[in-house]
Amino acid sequence: MKAGRITLKDISLECGYTVNTVSRALRNDPHLPESTRVLIQDTAKSMGYIRNSMASSLRSGRSHIVAVIVNDLHNQHFCDLLNQMDRELRKVDYNLMILCMQLDDSLAEELIHTAISLGVDGILYFPNFGQRHYIEYMTGNNMPFVLLDRRVNDVDADTVRCDDLQGGYLAGRHLAELGHRRFLFLSGIEKSSSQMDRFNGFLQAIRENGIPGENVRAIPGEQVEEALAQDNIAPLLFPMDYTAIVSFRDEVSYAVMTALYEKGISIPGDISIISFDNLRAENPSRPALTSIYTDRSIAEIGVKLLLERMEDPSLPPRSVVLPVQIFDYGTTAVPKGAS
Amino acid sequence: MKAGRITLKDISLECGYTVNTVSRALRNDPHLPESTRVLIQDTAKSMGYIRNSMASSLRSGRSHIVAVIVNDLHNQHFCDLLNQMDRELRKVDYNLMILCMQLDDSLAEELIHTAISLGVDGILYFPNFGQRHYIEYMTGNNMPFVLLDRRVNDVDADTVRCDDLQGGYLAGRHLAELGHRRFLFLSGIEKSSSQMDRFNGFLQAIRENGIPGENVRAIPGEQVEEALAQDNIAPLLFPMDYTAIVSFRDEVSYAVMTALYEKGISIPGDISIISFDNLRAENPSRPALTSIYTDRSIAEIGVKLLLERMEDPSLPPRSVVLPVQIFDYGTTAVPKGAS
DNA sequence: TGATTGTATGTTATCGTTAATCCATCAAAA
DNA sequence: TTTTGATGGATTAACGATAACATACAATCA
């Protein structure tokens, strides 16, 4: 019996072929005759051989690992996407490595650094705002990558994201058509392009319905996030000078719903609520919520673009904008007393 | 300018030291004089050097990666723990690689295989039931590992888990003392040791309070999970021959609460509900829920045990059982009409 | 003064795998 | 017969970093 890990050399000794031939057999090199290949593969299996990926990657230059860099794992929206990516990548024999920046934006560069150091073949990146610098870091190191969920201004790179402008528009039109005239808009983090687009789309829709922009009370994203973190979102909801709430992501909506329940305010009887993201599509354990989102294809398409980019770095940059839909799960209705 | 990645050799050429000296400088070898080290490090930095971890790991035998193998990422409980692990590991300059088995139990072996192949330094493993085989696979390959959240019968390995027996007991005692006599117990996946322990602890507590075991209607875990997946948990709740619900994990509890709300049944007015896991500890965006859990230390301690094991494989196996507490967030009360 | 120690480096040999070449052998084609 | 071309494989040289050992030179000590 051998001490450490079994290597190609051990197999080579065992079955009489050279290391090279063993290597090729285990990689299913078609130039080897069936019989040799089977013999070697069987021997390897019976000896409990496990390929040393580090050596393999070092030599071949490919690691078969894709890294995804995310903000954190507390957002179910992200987790769903990660799951889907993992599935997509596994299909084509890649591993997904999740690198999490723990809400600390400055970790992004370090994580990209780590990914490059580890020799991943590509990076899926959920950029926050103002991260051109990091993106140039990937470009400078010839690292294939795809931007997800958000576009980054003035950066010409592969991107997949939802049509946030349309999303905001749909939300606004839906509520306006129901008869709502005054709104509370709970923003996401300021300056993210998703945020801006959704807000602008929303404004456009209500204006088209003859509602002035002043009828929207918008709470800055920082305030919302802070309130959420402190489990104290109720103060943001008063005075109740509106009949409908639009919130930037489902997590916030759930917190709001809970706060309203506690005050005895009914949804959608007293207040309508609509939000973004696609929690519900993947996670049936949450209460239904009227929401605007696209399906999981953002993960699927992101992976697809990345694989293509890895294959051919000279491809022109592509940008995929996924259409969104409104899914009415019953948290919106005509405003009170207006039926 | 150089084409591919910068290597030690490039730095060596640039600053006149040998590759070896450069390598040592970048690893902060104390035998090098300050001046040389600083010079080399500065040169490396200005050239944009990024260490090739594959080559480094291959030679040194250490990858500075720890893998964690999880069921899936839909359970917020897991995601919280992962976040915490990541943080702990980053402190000591390790990377966490999350390998997800997509609810497909048979993937476990493949993922362990992958982890070994990638040369991770250790594995954090959330075992499901009946997985001695996989554990032996790690042992057989001299891979340091720690079992989390669940014990595996007859396996003598480092383990960290919550005291599920006590958890079940606390739940039972709490409800019995409030005056509840008939219960609905929504189980987790059958045969998991957590499940068994919680149920047994629960039974023990109510028996001590003079309540017969028949007063507990237990729904098998498979049925619960299936209902959850189909977003149709309501049928399990009828007939309503009980006044309190105990559910195996918070996700289920939320689904149940939603279902009850929809039927106009109030919590805790009509029905009390109590559950396990520690969602709330990390995620304030969920409604409060009377729940039994320990803190995030399961991640912290798991990482600690693993690091120790990696350092000294000859250590005797250790088993840490974390105490649990009941956190009463107001979803339990005296049964209706009993006050 | 010669021996010894220590400091600051250079040399050389791997780690395990894969890529690039090269070399037999044998059969079919010219 | 010689040429050509598959077969089936062996040889050799990397990939980039690190470990073990060696060396040169100065400082220290008996």
Side-chain angles (χ1 to χ4, degrees):
Chain A
M1 199 54 200
K2 224 211 143 209
R5 283 254 298 268
I6 307 288
T7 71
L8 291 188
K9 199 164 155 193
D10 301 316
I11 302 175
S12 156
L13 259 42
E14 179 74 20
C15 63
Y17 288 97
T18 60
V19 168
N20 179 322
T21 305
V22 173
S23 170
R24 282 160 54 199
L26 295 179
R27 279 177 291 142
N28 287 309
D29 186 325
H31 294 300
L32 284 181
E34 182 76 9
S35 57
T36 312
R37 197 177 5 162
V38 170
L39 170 66
I40 294 179
Q41 288 181 348
D42 287 352
T43 312
K45 185 153 199 176
S46 74
M47 293 177 76
Y49 172 74
I50 299 179
R51 169 188 281 116
N52 183 326
S53 298
M54 293 171 302
S56 168
S57 309
L58 175 59
R59 181 65 240 246
S60 70
R62 313 204 66 199
S63 64
H64 273 242
I65 301 177
V66 163
V68 57
I69 297 180
V70 302
N71 239 315
D72 76 330
L73 297 172
H74 284 146
N75 188 330
Q76 192 67 45
H77 174 51
F78 278 150
C79 291
D80 291 345
L81 295 181
L82 297 180
N83 245 327
Q84 186 62 21
M85 286 171 186
D86 186 66
R87 245 185 311 242
E88 293 298 322
L89 284 167
R90 202 167 291 291
K91 280 184 201 163
V92 287
D93 208 30
Y94 272 84
N95 281 105
L96 181 67
M97 174 149 196
I98 300 169
L99 296 173
C100 170
M101 55 197 200
Q102 304 280 7
L103 291 174
D104 177 0
D105 219 38
S106 65
L107 255 179
E109 185 166 7
E110 191 181 321
L111 294 185
I112 295 174
H113 183 107
T114 300
I116 296 173
S117 176
L118 291 173
V120 305
D121 294 336
I123 295 181
L124 294 160
Y125 186 37
F126 289 90
N128 286 333
F129 48 92
Q131 301 197 321
R132 285 190 53 184
H133 175 59
Y134 306 149
I135 290 167
E136 280 157 11
Y137 195 50
M138 292 191 275
T139 313
N141 280 283
N142 298 314
M143 174 60 72
F145 67 96
V146 171
L147 302 180
L148 295 167
D149 213 34
R150 261 167 224 145
R151 69 160 194 263
V152 174
N153 294 329
D154 308 323
V155 165
D156 210 21
D158 296 325
T159 309
V160 195
R161 60 190 180 88
C162 300
D163 189 341
D164 290 312
L165 196 69
Q166 191 207 358
Y169 183 86
L170 286 181
R173 194 178 68 185
H174 179 73
L175 291 173
E177 285 178 350
L178 281 171
H180 292 272
R181 288 295 172 266
R182 306 193 74 89
F183 309 91
L184 178 68
F185 195 100
L186 300 171
S187 306
I189 296 168
E190 223 64 31
K191 286 182 198 158
S192 90
S193 69
S194 289
Q195 156 60 22
M196 307 287 261
D197 287 352
R198 287 174 183 170
F199 189 64
N200 289 332
F202 181 78
L203 281 183
Q204 188 191 334
I206 64 168
R207 283 189 184 128
E208 283 181 9
N209 281 270
I211 304 167
E214 303 90 68
N215 284 19
V216 182
R217 175 154 69 92
I219 311 286
E222 287 81 359
Q223 266 185 53
V224 177
E225 294 296 330
E226 197 189 328
L228 184 65
Q230 295 172 358
D231 201 7
N232 185 29
I233 211 153
L236 300 180
L237 307 179
F238 297 93
M240 212 166 260
D241 53 356
Y242 54 85
T243 59
I245 300 176
V246 182
S247 92
F248 187 73
R249 58 191 184 99
D250 283 351
E251 302 290 334
V252 173
S253 306
Y254 284 113
V256 168
M257 284 172 76
T258 305
L260 292 179
Y261 275 138
E262 281 170 2
K263 303 276 179 191
I265 296 163
S266 102
I267 297 169
D270 300 317
I271 294 284
S272 287
I273 184 164
I274 194 170
S275 71
F276 299 92
D277 282 354
N278 62 352
L279 280 182
R280 193 164 164 69
E282 273 276 332
N283 188 343
S285 70
R286 290 293 190 76
L289 187 59
T290 299
S291 199
I292 286 172
Y293 53 86
T294 185
D295 54 22
R296 290 168 301 176
S297 56
I298 192 170
E300 210 169 299
I301 295 180
V303 167
K304 182 170 151 283
L305 287 188
L306 183 61
L307 292 172
E308 287 169 6
R309 167 72 47 203
M310 279 156 39
E311 187 123 342
D312 179 5
S314 69
L315 238 44
R318 295 145 302 162
S319 177
V320 177
V321 175
L322 300 174
V324 294
Q325 281 179 271
I326 180 163
F327 291 78
D328 188 348
Y329 285 109
T331 57
T332 54
V334 293
K336 203 168 184 177
S339 73
Chain B
M1 200 54 200
K2 223 210 143 211
R5 283 254 299 268
I6 308 289
T7 70
L8 291 189
K9 199 163 154 195
D10 301 316
I11 302 175
S12 156
L13 257 44
E14 180 75 19
C15 63
Y17 287 97
T18 59
V19 168
N20 181 0
T21 306
V22 173
S23 169
R24 281 160 52 200
L26 296 179
R27 278 176 290 139
N28 286 311
D29 186 325
H31 294 299
L32 284 182
E34 181 76 9
S35 58
T36 311
R37 198 176 5 162
V38 170
L39 170 66
I40 294 179
Q41 287 181 349
D42 287 353
T43 312
K45 185 153 199 178
S46 74
M47 294 177 75
Y49 172 74
I50 299 179
R51 169 187 280 117
N52 183 325
S53 299
M54 293 171 301
S56 168
S57 310
L58 175 59
R59 182 67 242 252
S60 71
R62 311 204 67 198
S63 64
H64 273 241
I65 302 176
V66 162
V68 57
I69 297 179
V70 301
N71 239 315
D72 76 330
L73 296 173
H74 284 146
N75 187 329
Q76 192 66 46
H77 173 52
F78 278 150
C79 290
D80 291 345
L81 295 181
L82 297 180
N83 245 326
Q84 187 62 22
M85 286 172 186
D86 187 65
R87 245 186 310 242
E88 294 298 322
L89 285 167
R90 201 167 292 290
K91 280 184 201 162
V92 286
D93 207 31
Y94 272 84
N95 281 104
L96 181 67
M97 175 149 195
I98 300 168
L99 296 173
C100 169
M101 56 198 200
Q102 303 280 8
L103 291 174
D104 178 359
D105 219 38
S106 65
L107 255 179
E109 184 165 9
E110 192 180 322
L111 293 185
I112 295 174
H113 187 282
T114 300
I116 296 174
S117 176
L118 290 172
V120 305
D121 294 336
I123 296 181
L124 294 161
Y125 187 37
F126 289 91
N128 285 333
F129 48 92
Q131 299 197 322
R132 286 191 53 184
H133 176 59
Y134 306 149
I135 290 167
E136 279 158 11
Y137 196 49
M138 291 191 275
T139 313
N141 280 282
N142 299 315
M143 173 60 71
F145 66 96
V146 171
L147 302 180
L148 296 166
D149 215 32
R150 263 167 223 143
R151 68 160 195 266
V152 174
N153 294 328
D154 308 323
V155 166
D156 210 21
D158 295 326
T159 308
V160 195
R161 59 190 181 88
C162 299
D163 189 341
D164 290 313
L165 197 69
Q166 192 207 356
Y169 183 86
L170 286 181
R173 194 179 67 184
H174 180 72
L175 292 174
E177 285 177 351
L178 282 171
H180 292 272
R181 288 296 172 266
R182 305 193 73 90
F183 309 91
L184 178 69
F185 195 99
L186 300 171
S187 307
I189 296 168
E190 223 64 31
K191 287 183 198 159
S192 89
S193 69
S194 290
Q195 155 60 24
M196 306 288 261
D197 287 352
R198 286 175 184 170
F199 189 65
N200 289 332
F202 181 78
L203 280 184
Q204 188 191 333
I206 63 167
R207 283 191 184 127
E208 284 181 8
N209 280 269
I211 304 167
E214 304 90 67
N215 283 20
V216 181
R217 176 154 67 92
I219 312 285
E222 286 83 359
Q223 265 184 55
V224 177
E225 294 295 329
E226 199 189 324
L228 185 65
Q230 294 172 359
D231 202 7
N232 185 28
I233 212 152
L236 299 181
L237 307 179
F238 299 93
M240 211 167 260
D241 52 356
Y242 54 85
T243 60
I245 300 177
V246 182
S247 93
F248 187 73
R249 58 191 184 98
D250 283 353
E251 302 289 334
V252 173
S253 306
Y254 285 113
V256 167
M257 284 172 76
T258 305
L260 292 179
Y261 275 139
E262 282 171 2
K263 303 276 180 189
I265 296 163
S266 102
I267 296 168
D270 300 317
I271 294 286
S272 286
I273 185 164
I274 193 169
S275 71
F276 299 91
D277 281 353
N278 63 350
L279 280 182
R280 192 164 164 71
E282 273 277 331
N283 187 344
S285 71
R286 290 295 190 74
L289 187 60
T290 298
S291 200
I292 286 173
Y293 54 86
T294 185
D295 54 21
R296 290 167 301 176
S297 57
I298 191 170
E300 211 170 300
I301 295 180
V303 167
K304 181 170 150 284
L305 288 188
L306 183 61
L307 292 172
E308 287 168 7
R309 166 73 46 205
M310 278 156 42
E311 187 122 341
D312 179 6
S314 70
L315 238 45
R318 294 145 303 161
S319 177
V320 177
V321 176
L322 300 173
V324 294
Q325 282 179 269
I326 181 162
F327 291 78
D328 188 349
Y329 286 108
T331 57
T332 54
V334 293
K336 202 170 186 177
S339 73

